[in-house]
Amino acid sequence: MSRRSGVLEFAVLGLLREAPMHGYELRKRLNTSLGVFRAFSYGSLYPCLKALVQQGWLAEESGRASDDPRATPLTNRRAKIVYRLTAEGKERFEELLAQTGPDAWEDEHFGVRFAFFGQTSRDVRMRVLEGRRSRLEERLAKMRASMARTREKLDAYTLELQRHGMESVEREVRWLNELIESEREGQGQREQRGPSGAHERAGPDPSDDSTN
Amino acid sequence: MSRRSGVLEFAVLGLLREAPMHGYELRKRLNTSLGVFRAFSYGSLYPCLKALVQQGWLAEESGRASDDPRATPLTNRRAKIVYRLTAEGKERFEELLAQTGPDAWEDEHFGVRFAFFGQTSRDVRMRVLEGRRSRLEERLAKMRASMARTREKLDAYTLELQRHGMESVEREVRWLNELIESEREGQGQREQRGPSGAHERAGPDPSDDSTN
DNA sequence: TTGCGATGTATCGAGCTGATACATCGACTC
DNA sequence: GAGTCGATGTATCAGCTCGATACATCGCAA
């Protein structure tokens, strides 16, 4: 339950806060909603769920189809194990939400933190966004220094790769700037639940309205 | 030596092709030159080096500072172990370079492959670039479908995260398009060693000319 | 009724990371 | 010249993650 699985813990608690769920669905949500940046496997998820139950933050609501007390998840006809957030788990999540330490803006954590921004205060959001931005600016500085140092020695393709990498980071900084600006504008007004139209762009192609 | 370490193997062979090096320097190069996308730790590198020596692709040129035959890396005053590519290793690298299978355009491999584009033929470059592009377009299609399916159910921040993620992928596709176009333009002309000015942008801030 | 893909829980080997240990070197300070 | 500090350099390990896989049921369609 260290660095990486801390993210998983956070995401699981956050998702279960909205509604009880079983492992399979939890994993699907993780890898679609939040999963553009992160992917988790069953090999991580199931042990994590067990650990969270152990901690008392989750409770199992075994949806047994059979009354047979001998039934186990393997022998039982259909053994969904539904997980529900306990009061302690809710507290734990609030606690994690309020944390704005450096962990919150590292690559591994930031995406998931952002996905749950709607459940926290603007103070916290601002701190995380600004922390992330300064983290990326540090990285940019290093990349620039490194490129200045090595630019002559490098292959054209290697250079192009570095250029593209740097542009990606620069782009993310611009994105953060817009978000921060958007949070600032919201100040004093009603407590709003999202970035205020920093991007008013068109949605995905409406011809693709598959409900599949 | 499977999926992931295959990347490390490739990168090590490629770097040593230019010049013999010892582990420490190898790792520095890995995490600056190619390292915008990937990072490798000693825990991966040293075992990999040993395995490559085992395979006969690398040879150790122990730069012993002492003549004492009892000297080991630990007791010796300064035990650099310089690795050199053998003829077999060179062959192996050519073989890997020529591979254009699906592996070559997955997230883990593509960056490193690209960094060594200068050492391969345009045919191979085209296949890898186009493979990568279609891979990303698949992903885009899935993301669009997923967004169309869930857009109403989602929090504004989650949506914004997905939007940003999708834009990142779209941006990479545009980059690939430019590169492919650039390779096509080079067709028939001299075998050129890099992307032909798809990006003529200014370099990093020239005020930062630290030689450090 | 047979086959297939989605749903669902669970485990394992292989591999990677961050931390750490140990040791030397050059440069700097006091 | 003694002490400190950061860079250089090799090496290992606990802990964690992933991809693959096993097993079982369900719904559906040919």
Side-chain angles (χ1 to χ4, degrees), chain B residues 56-209:
Chain B
W57 296 329
L58 300 188
E60 296 184 11
E61 283 176 4
S62 186
R64 288 257 169 83
S66 142
D67 308 316
D68 187 344
R70 298 191 323 278
T72 71
L74 276 178
T75 64
N76 194 354
R77 281 193 58 222
R78 187 179 183 89
K80 269 194 200 178
I81 304 178
V82 177
Y83 292 92
R84 179 179 55 77
L85 204 56
T86 65
E88 292 84 1
K90 220 162 185 167
E91 253 176 65
R92 169 67 173 168
F93 184 61
E94 309 286 358
E95 193 185 315
L96 290 176
L97 259 186
Q99 284 181 11
T100 57
D103 274 357
W105 53 69
E106 288 306 312
D107 289 342
E108 313 89 29
H109 290 63
F110 176 75
V112 175
R113 290 294 306 237
F114 187 88
F116 290 99
F117 259 20
Q119 315 211 12
T120 193
S121 71
R122 189 172 48 225
D123 277 15
V124 170
R125 293 198 293 263
M126 285 295 274
R127 273 199 293 279
V128 173
L129 288 173
E130 281 168 350
R132 176 71 179 163
R133 182 174 56 179
S134 70
R135 180 76 189 77
L136 290 185
E137 266 159 1
E138 267 175 45
R139 196 176 300 178
L140 271 180
K142 266 185 203 150
M143 294 168 77
R144 277 194 253 265
S146 161
M147 279 189 72
R149 208 162 53 241
T150 58
R151 95 163 7 282
E152 264 77 36
K153 282 175 268 181
L154 290 180
D155 184 82
Y157 285 105
T158 311
L159 264 178
E160 172 63 18
L161 189 62
Q162 296 214 348
R163 197 196 56 73
H164 179 253
M166 241 181 52
E167 256 189 14
S168 295
V169 181
E170 282 165 354
R171 185 176 157 272
E172 184 155 349
V173 170
R174 283 196 300 275
W175 182 60
L176 289 170
N177 282 334
E178 284 169 19
L179 289 168
I180 289 169
E181 189 54 36
S182 164
E183 294 283 352
R184 280 227 181 80
E185 276 167 17
Q187 197 164 35
Q189 299 173 216
R190 80 234 164 273
E191 181 73 2
Q192 48 178 42
R193 292 316 251 182
S196 66
H199 279 279
E200 215 71 63
R201 82 199 277 287
D205 188 346
S207 70
D208 178 7
D209 56 351

